[in-house]
Amino acid sequence: MERVRFAPSPTGHLHIGGARTALFNYLYAKKTGGKFLLRIEDTDLNRSTEESEKVIIEGLKWLGIHWDEGIEVGGEHGPYRSTERVHIYNPYVQRLLDEGKAYLCYCSEEELEREREEALQRGEMPRYSGKCRHLTKEDRERLEKEGRKPVVRFRVPEDELIVVDDLVRGRVEFNSNDIGDFIIVKSDGIPVYNFAVTIDDYLMEITTVIRGEEHLSNTPRQILIYKALGFDIPKFAHVSLILGKDRTKMSKRHGSTWVEQYRDAGYLPEAIINFLALLGWSPEGEEEIFSMEELERMFDINRVSKNPAVFDIDKLNHINGIYIRNAELDRIVDLAIPHLVKGEFITEEFANTNREWISKIVDTVRGGLSNVSEIVNHVGIFFGEEVKLENEEAKEVLKQEHVSALLDEFKNILLETEVVTKENAKDIMNEIKKRTGAKGKALFMPIRVAVTGQVHGPELVNVLEILGRDMLIKRIEYVKQNLL
């Protein structure tokens, strides 16, 4: 059985790249009938926080990425936080020390920095010189008396070719001579990422490691540890970086970089999932809109590209717009209300007592939304008695000779009408046409501008129903008194 995992470091938010990695692992597990684990790599004690862990977990749940084993779920391979597994790592560290495959290193940061600078001056790639490889017992005692706390370094074998048959990138080769003896346990006794992740993946029976391309350079170190301990080596798949449209590393200027920023802006999780799946993976055919269930059936690691994926915010907005238009109206209303409150169009109390009216507004404008937070840019026409003309074109519409009489008849008909609905709004327009002789653009455009201030917008009959009889009369009176 295939077993894969997502093992984020809880040092910040759930990045878009991390979310895609989690998704690819999840889809791979579903497609192969395997298991998906969530593990927390909190070996960086200075930067890891409970809050970050919580944000990551909430983000995954919001996206609909659920795990079979791990944090919160449990399982037979726990615990699932690195810091809770130190007692598990220690025997393996001691085994490497006993077998001479690792050793204690007492070099200070100053000494290591001096080594790095000297290597750079010689035009060489900085790597540890191995000066502590052959310390005697007396040497170690002397250094410890000086107050030095050792780290544990892995003894990298010389002249070894390390091959990674990557499922995405193909054959990748590394020379052990370029690596240098690397730290596996810090001076505080906490194993570093490369060691902890190797032990965890082995003990948790991970069969395939799917992660970001930035981890490719870690892979030879981990393979060396697997070999030194006699462990079976899993398959590796390193997915490409995510770049902005300008082909540079994704950053804030290309769009929000954290999952929760998209959630808070009113993107739908299924749209984010759909978009993330297409970042580096290409399905067969031309279709681009897929449900999670469809992705679970279709995902194929062999169709993941080794070329960088481009984060196109316009494409995400297009996909999200489709999901907004097809979603249950009540769901979009729930998402829209906080934005309308924040935009000071309504209060929460007003939303509770006027939900049906708000629903009509949301339903009328959602066709033009790429995310729900944009609703505040589309609803101004439904609030207030004053009419603000958006541009010169709108002003020119009201300057036409027939407009004053047209609005008078519109008001008269409204006074004869108890309530305006989408159904009788058409009858009202026909009656104005009958009484004034105006038709087509000469009829509809002045009415639209008079009641909204805009020459374009949602379907007019919807606008008339939402504004209602009394507000329409007030706006006609305002236009007659102030804009004609």
Side-chain angles (χ1 to χ4, degrees):
M1 177 189 288
E2 288 281 1
R3 288 173 62 84
V4 295
R5 50 69 168 177
F6 179 52
S9 176
T11 56
H13 301 268
L14 178 58
H15 191 275
I16 283 293
R20 183 192 61 168
T21 298
L23 175 63
F24 280 11
N25 275 279
Y26 171 85
L27 294 177
Y28 183 81
K30 290 295 183 181
K31 178 62 181 291
T32 60
K35 297 292 184 181
F36 172 53
L37 287 70
L38 176 64
R39 191 174 71 223
I40 297 295
E41 300 285 356
D42 58 348
T43 53
D44 188 341
L45 299 182
N46 293 327
R47 297 173 58 221
S48 296
T49 66
E50 290 184 11
E51 181 59 32
S52 290
E53 180 181 317
K54 180 181 177 183
V55 166
I56 290 169
I57 290 172
E58 287 179 349
L60 292 173
K61 288 180 177 178
W62 178 73
L63 288 170
I65 298 175
H66 304 291
W67 48 101
D68 304 295
E69 182 181 325
I71 294 295
E72 293 191 347
V73 175
E76 60 186 34
H77 298 85
Y80 295 94
R81 291 184 188 85
S82 298
T83 51
E84 296 174 3
R85 296 175 60 82
V86 175
H87 66 286
I88 296 174
Y89 306 137
N90 286 339
Y92 293 101
V93 175
Q94 191 60 50
R95 176 176 155 189
L96 292 176
L97 287 169
D98 293 343
E99 295 176 0
K101 296 174 181 176
Y103 59 91
L104 299 178
C105 172
Y106 296 84
C107 293
S108 66
E109 273 300 318
E110 292 75 19
E111 291 169 328
L112 295 174
E113 182 59 34
R114 196 157 52 243
E115 272 193 15
R116 283 192 286 267
E117 290 176 359
E118 290 172 356
L120 290 171
Q121 289 172 2
R122 294 193 301 268
E124 300 174 357
M125 182 71 72
R127 68 183 191 120
Y128 180 59
S129 64
K131 63 187 293 186
C132 288
R133 268 186 168 213
H134 307 293
L135 292 178
T136 64
K137 180 181 178 183
E138 290 73 25
D139 290 332
R140 292 195 296 272
E141 289 175 351
R142 173 177 51 80
L143 290 167
E144 287 176 9
K145 282 182 180 178
E146 293 178 10
R148 298 200 186 200
K149 291 186 176 181
V151 300
V152 179
R153 284 187 184 273
F154 183 86
R155 191 186 299 269
V156 175
E158 297 178 359
D159 303 319
E160 183 169 322
L161 182 66
I162 306 163
V163 177
V164 182
D165 288 316
D166 196 275
L167 296 176
V168 173
R169 318 202 72 74
R171 182 183 174 92
V172 186
E173 297 181 352
F174 299 89
N175 189 320
S176 65
N177 295 337
D178 297 330
I179 296 175
D181 296 347
F182 54 91
I183 296 172
I184 58 174
V185 181
K186 293 175 285 188
S187 59
D188 60 5
I190 301 297
V192 300
Y193 166 79
N194 276 318
F195 188 76
V197 74
T198 303
I199 302 300
D200 289 344
D201 283 345
Y202 170 71
L203 294 179
M204 295 182 187
E205 302 178 50
I206 300 303
T207 58
T208 305
V209 176
I210 304 171
R211 58 189 179 189
E213 180 187 354
E214 66 273 15
H215 285 289
L216 183 59
S217 60
N218 290 322
T219 307
R221 293 170 173 80
Q222 293 167 17
I223 288 176
L224 288 172
I225 295 171
Y226 279 112
K227 288 182 174 180
L229 292 169
F231 293 166
D232 291 335
I233 300 173
K235 294 172 287 186
F236 290 95
H238 290 89
V239 298
S240 63
L241 296 173
I242 299 177
L243 304 180
K245 290 180 75 172
D246 58 0
R247 311 296 292 186
T248 61
K249 186 175 180 181
M250 186 182 171
S251 64
K252 292 178 182 178
R253 70 178 181 276
H254 301 117
S256 300
T257 57
W258 306 330
V259 168
E260 61 263 38
Q261 290 173 308
Y262 289 96
R263 178 196 63 200
D264 294 345
Y267 286 80
L268 303 188
E270 55 268 43
I272 298 289
I273 286 291
N274 194 153
F275 176 72
L276 289 178
L278 299 175
L279 283 179
W281 171 75
S282 57
E284 296 181 7
E286 300 298 318
E287 180 62 44
E288 289 192 322
I289 303 300
F290 303 106
S291 67
M292 180 72 94
E293 292 73 21
E294 289 171 323
L295 291 171
E296 290 172 9
R297 292 195 304 270
M298 297 170 59
F299 185 77
D300 183 351
I301 194 72
N302 295 312
R303 295 187 67 84
V304 174
S305 172
K306 65 180 179 181
N307 297 320
V310 175
F311 186 95
D312 185 345
I313 188 66
D314 295 327
K315 183 173 183 178
L316 171 57
N317 287 338
H318 169 70
I319 290 174
N320 197 57
I322 292 173
Y323 279 93
I324 288 174
R325 291 190 289 278
N326 292 330
E328 290 289 334
L329 177 58
D330 269 351
R331 181 182 176 198
I332 305 303
V333 172
D334 287 338
L335 293 173
I337 285 173
H339 294 290
L340 294 174
V341 171
K342 185 177 180 181
E344 299 184 346
F345 289 100
I346 61 174
T347 63
E348 291 183 5
E349 182 181 356
F350 182 89
N352 291 334
T353 55
N354 295 273
R355 185 180 177 89
E356 183 179 351
W357 184 73
I358 294 171
S359 296
K360 290 178 181 179
I361 293 177
V362 173
D363 197 26
T364 296
V365 305
R366 67 168 163 169
L369 302 180
S370 60
N371 63 69
V372 179
S373 70
E374 290 178 348
I375 195 166
V376 296
N377 302 321
H378 295 261
V379 300
I381 61 173
F382 300 109
F383 295 89
E385 298 176 11
E386 295 185 10
V387 176
K388 297 178 181 178
L389 303 181
E390 65 172 348
N391 53 29
E392 287 299 320
E393 185 181 359
K395 292 178 183 177
E396 290 300 317
V397 169
L398 295 185
K399 287 180 180 180
Q400 298 175 82
E401 288 185 13
H402 72 290
V403 169
S404 181
L406 185 74
L407 295 181
D408 285 339
E409 288 302 333
F410 186 22
K411 178 181 175 181
N412 290 335
I413 294 169
L414 288 171
L415 290 170
E416 299 165 7
T417 305
E418 287 188 16
V419 63
V420 177
T421 65
K422 277 195 292 188
E423 291 70 30
N424 69 11
K426 295 177 182 178
D427 297 332
I428 290 171
M429 297 301 293
N430 286 330
E431 184 63 23
I432 300 172
K433 176 181 177 180
K434 179 180 176 181
R435 295 187 188 186
T436 64
K439 57 184 178 179
K441 193 175 181 180
L443 169 64
F444 290 96
M445 190 63 76
I447 297 295
R448 178 180 290 281
V449 173
V451 299
T452 69
Q454 300 177 359
V455 294
H456 302 290
E459 191 173 348
L460 185 56
V461 292
N462 292 351
V463 173
L464 297 181
E465 179 187 46
I466 291 168
L467 289 174
R469 172 184 179 274
D470 294 342
M471 180 61 74
L472 289 169
I473 292 171
K474 289 176 181 177
R475 289 194 178 183
I476 292 169
E477 291 173 345
Y478 178 87
V479 169
K480 292 275 290 182
Q481 294 170 14
N482 299 281
L483 300 179
L484 295 187

